[in-house]
Amino acid sequence: MAEAILGGMDVGGMDDLAGFLRTRRARVDPASVGVPTDSRRRVEGLRREEVAHLSGVSVDYYVRLEQGRATQPSGQILDALARVLGLDKTERGHLHRLARQRRRRARTPGGRVRPELLRVLDLVAGAPALIMDHRLDVLAGNRLAGLLFDRPLPGLNTARHIFLEEAERGLYAEWEQCTLDVVGHLRLAAGKYPEDPRLASLIGELAMGSERFRRLWARADVRARTHGRKVYRHPLVGLLELHQENFALPDESGMELLVLSAAPGSPAEDGLRLLGSLGADSDGAHPIPSESRDSVRTNGD
């Protein structure tokens, strides 16, 4: 079943290049690129021949690109298409990567976390900090991160957590935005590592279990996770408005160090401090004991 759904979802490869071009073409407002329109127009976005004309390629060649039959388009052609389709920096990089896939396949990175990185996590005391791979598997986390997620961190996959476990009223206060970010990240990862079977399996699982995931995946949007606002709704300390910074780790590991910090003097800083004190007897790798939950809720009532 998973394979059947996945087979029609263009996880990677040249077919994904074709699908990406089609979805980007449908986004473009013809008037924004000087194409006149009238009430009889039935095409969403630009027509194939319009993209070809504006980018300076033959209609036949562009049609073959969208059908997955044209191989190895030049960088000049890709840049022209990116300009016409209004791609941002992340989308441009994704377009070039998809076009290169038949010539050079990226090796799927491993998931071993060096002991030195674990020491770095332990040094981050006042903010939740995690190490994640390109599949959004949490490989390690510090004590405060374990308390934030209130569960063992190794084995947690945040994409699965968001789409299949938490829904709209769970830990993620801005759940819909989180789903956009996750799908955009997984689209980028599928473009970088199209031969990663574990990534393909995860995408298939999410597609089977979440109608929202299927709809977002079909849009073929890509997003680079670098930094931004993250809001959590913790059952013990309430709303935590944090800032996430993503640091790509070296050696082409595909891993990132994520640090979730609170603004000085903010309610979120107080919340993290309270969370840390509530879990003072925990090592951060296990859920908060149930008696601590009951005590806090009783005191808060």
Side-chain angles (χ1 to χ4, degrees):
M1 179 65 174
E3 290 78 4
I5 292 177
L6 195 57
M9 291 184 60
D10 293 342
V11 174
M14 289 299 291
D15 287 342
D16 202 22
L17 171 62
F20 188 63
L21 288 173
R22 288 193 296 269
T23 58
R24 299 312 90 177
R25 174 167 62 87
R27 279 190 331 179
V28 180
D29 177 8
S32 70
V33 291
V35 175
T37 61
D38 56 39
S39 59
R40 293 173 296 176
R41 188 181 183 94
R42 295 292 182 264
V43 177
E44 184 178 8
L46 293 175
R47 296 186 175 98
R48 287 173 170 175
E49 58 269 25
E50 291 166 345
V51 175
H53 173 73
L54 291 168
S55 57
V57 302
S58 71
V59 175
D60 177 68
Y61 183 77
Y62 183 76
V63 169
R64 286 189 286 122
L65 275 176
E66 281 206 5
Q67 292 176 344
R69 296 187 293 116
T71 62
Q72 301 184 13
S74 69
Q76 184 178 6
I77 288 176
L78 294 173
D79 287 340
L81 291 172
R83 173 181 53 79
V84 172
L85 298 174
L87 304 189
D88 61 24
K89 181 179 178 181
T90 300
E91 292 170 324
R92 282 174 179 261
H94 186 62
L95 177 68
H96 279 263
R97 194 175 300 113
L98 293 176
R100 292 197 305 264
Q101 282 179 358
R102 282 189 177 176
R103 287 174 282 175
R104 183 172 66 242
R105 296 279 186 172
R107 180 177 60 87
T108 301
R112 181 178 176 274
V113 180
R114 292 182 285 111
E116 294 82 1
L117 289 174
L118 297 178
R119 291 205 300 267
V120 170
L121 282 180
D122 290 337
L123 292 174
V124 183
L130 308 151
I131 294 176
M132 302 177 69
D133 66 10
H134 63 283
R135 305 180 196 97
L136 301 182
D137 288 325
V138 178
L139 305 177
N142 67 357
R143 175 178 171 276
L144 202 51
L147 295 171
L148 174 63
F149 285 91
D150 192 16
R151 58 174 292 170
L153 290 180
L156 169 67
N157 178 277
T158 57
R160 188 179 292 114
H161 196 227
I162 287 171
F163 277 102
L164 304 183
E165 299 172 12
E166 289 295 283
E168 294 92 335
R169 295 189 176 275
L171 178 65
Y172 307 92
E174 297 178 342
W175 182 81
E176 291 191 355
Q177 180 62 45
C178 287
T179 61
L180 295 174
D181 293 341
V182 163
V183 173
H185 169 84
L186 290 179
R187 266 287 181 184
L188 273 184
K192 291 179 182 178
Y193 312 112
E195 296 182 342
D196 180 355
R198 289 177 56 195
L199 177 60
S201 177
L202 172 66
I203 293 169
E205 179 186 354
L206 296 173
M208 286 186 66
S210 170
E211 189 270 339
R212 178 169 175 81
F213 180 88
R214 291 194 296 274
R215 285 191 290 107
L216 293 181
W217 186 266
R219 288 163 46 171
D221 293 337
V222 292
R223 296 187 178 211
R225 302 188 318 144
T226 54
H227 57 81
R229 179 175 179 263
K230 293 289 182 181
V231 185
Y232 297 89
R233 188 189 296 109
H234 196 277
L236 296 183
V237 299
L239 212 61
L240 295 170
E241 183 176 335
L242 305 174
H243 179 82
Q244 177 175 300
E245 286 286 341
N246 293 50
F247 304 94
L249 299 179
D251 304 327
E252 299 183 350
S253 65
M255 299 181 195
E256 292 180 323
L257 169 64
L258 279 66
V259 180
L260 296 158
S261 63
S266 66
E269 184 182 49
D270 294 337
L272 287 180
R273 190 178 297 116
L274 175 59
L275 183 61
S277 67
L278 293 174
D281 296 329
S282 171
D283 61 5
H286 303 285
I288 300 173
S290 58
E291 57 269 21
S292 297
R293 290 172 178 262
D294 296 340
S295 174
V296 172
R297 287 185 178 130
T298 301
N299 292 337
D301 289 338

